[in-house]
């Protein structure tokens, strides 16, 4: 029943949580400088951040999105989000056997992508990374895509001077399957943790 509800929500609302699309960018309301929603700013950006469902709607995910937005702003990255035009990446739906639903969500995202100019896509969710990198191209939807851990690890020289406090903690990091096993990205998250 839970899976059926998530699939129905995905078809009806474009996300498994059943949240209204108009609320997808609410997490960014208090971020300064303001997070650019591409449909509003109508300008090219270097990076399109594909935020994802949980990072847009779940309370813990929203906190992580706000933190990443502050880091991107600190790094002066020229980025934007789709906001209400973003739909679920569809990877979990595909894995549940709903390939038609996956294709529908991918096509909706492709239509949104095609409306804007950007250099690459940045993802928060490893499933979104996997879908955009490995599954969307089979549908004729192909863009350069990176997970945020790759993106930030490449900018450790810029981030380094800002990391002034030490975190006196032992950390256990669980490699997300679709970041590690499926895509071979193991070292970038560890480099970021080591820098802290």
């Amino acid at each position: 029943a839970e899976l059926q509800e998530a699939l129905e929500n995905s078809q009806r609302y474009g996300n498994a949580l059943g949240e209204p699309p108009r609320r997808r960018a609410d997490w960014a309301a208090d971020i300064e400088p303001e997070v650019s929603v591409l449909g509003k700013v109508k300008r090219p950006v270097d990076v399109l951040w594909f935020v994802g469902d949980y990072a847009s709607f779940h309370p813990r995910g929203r906190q992580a999105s706000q933190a990443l937005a502050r880091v991107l702003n600190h790094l002066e990255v020229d980025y934007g989000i789709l906001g209400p035009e973003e739909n679920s990446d569809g990877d979990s739906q595909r894995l549940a056997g709903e390939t038609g639903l996956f294709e529908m969500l991918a096509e909706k995202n492709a239509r949104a992508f095609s409306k804007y100019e950007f250099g690459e896509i940045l993802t928060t969710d490893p499933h979104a990374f996997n879908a955009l990198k490995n599954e969307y191209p089979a549908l004729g939807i192909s863009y350069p895509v990176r997970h945020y851990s790759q993106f930030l690890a490449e900018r450790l020289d810029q981030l380094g001077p800002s990391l002034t406090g030490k975190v006196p903690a032992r950390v256990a990091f669980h490699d997300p399957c679709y970041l590690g096993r499926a895509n071979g990205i193991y070292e970038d998250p560890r480099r970021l943790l080591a820098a802290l």
Side-chain angles (χ1 to χ4, degrees), residues 116-138:
Y116 304 108
E117 291 182 50
F118 54 88
E120 67 179 321
I121 298 175
L122 179 71
T123 67
T124 308
D125 178 11
H127 278 276
F129 174 74
N130 184 69
L132 292 166
K133 180 177 182 281
N134 300 316
E135 303 298 332
Y136 278 36

Side-chain angles (χ1 to χ4, degrees), residues 107-172:
E107 288 168 7
K108 285 183 175 182
N109 284 323
R111 282 193 297 276
F113 296 159
S114 70
K115 291 167 61 176
Y116 304 108
E117 291 182 50
F118 54 88
E120 67 179 321
I121 298 175
L122 179 71
T123 67
T124 308
D125 178 11
H127 278 276
F129 174 74
N130 184 69
L132 292 166
K133 180 177 182 281
N134 300 316
E135 303 298 332
Y136 278 36
L139 302 173
I141 307 163
S142 185
Y143 293 92
V145 60
R146 285 194 286 173
H147 187 258
Y148 80 96
S149 63
Q150 296 173 294
F151 188 85
L152 294 180
E154 289 179 3
R155 288 161 175 77
L156 274 174
D157 290 346
Q158 288 175 270
L159 279 172
S162 302
L163 304 175
T164 56
K166 295 286 183 190
V167 179
R170 292 181 65 138
V171 176

Side-chain angles (χ1 to χ4, degrees), residues 5-11 13-21 23-27 49-63 65 83-93 101 105 109 123-129 136:
E5 181 181 359
L7 295 172
E8 288 172 359
N9 285 340
S10 298
Q11 184 171 8
Y13 301 105
N15 67 82
L17 297 144
E19 295 287 344
R23 293 188 51 220
R24 193 172 272 275
D26 285 2
W27 63 268
W49 177 10
F50 190 91
V51 181
D53 293 352
Y54 283 89
S56 294
F57 297 119
H58 190 276
R60 297 268 315 262
R62 289 168 58 109
Q63 290 175 353
S65 294
E85 294 182 272
E86 183 181 296
N87 283 273
S88 171
D89 58 81
D91 202 47
S92 296
Q93 294 86 337
L101 180 56
L105 294 166
N109 284 323
T123 67
T124 308
D125 178 11
H127 278 276
F129 174 74
Y136 278 36

Side-chain angles (χ1 to χ4, degrees), residues 3 18 22 27 29 34 45 47-48 85-86 92 98 128 132 135 148 170 173 185 188-189:
L3 176 59
R22 72 180 182 280
W27 63 268
E34 185 175 338
V45 293
V47 176
L48 168 60
E85 294 182 272
E86 183 181 296
S92 296
E98 287 291 339
L132 292 166
E135 303 298 332
Y148 80 96
R170 292 181 65 138
F173 177 70
I185 299 169
D188 293 327

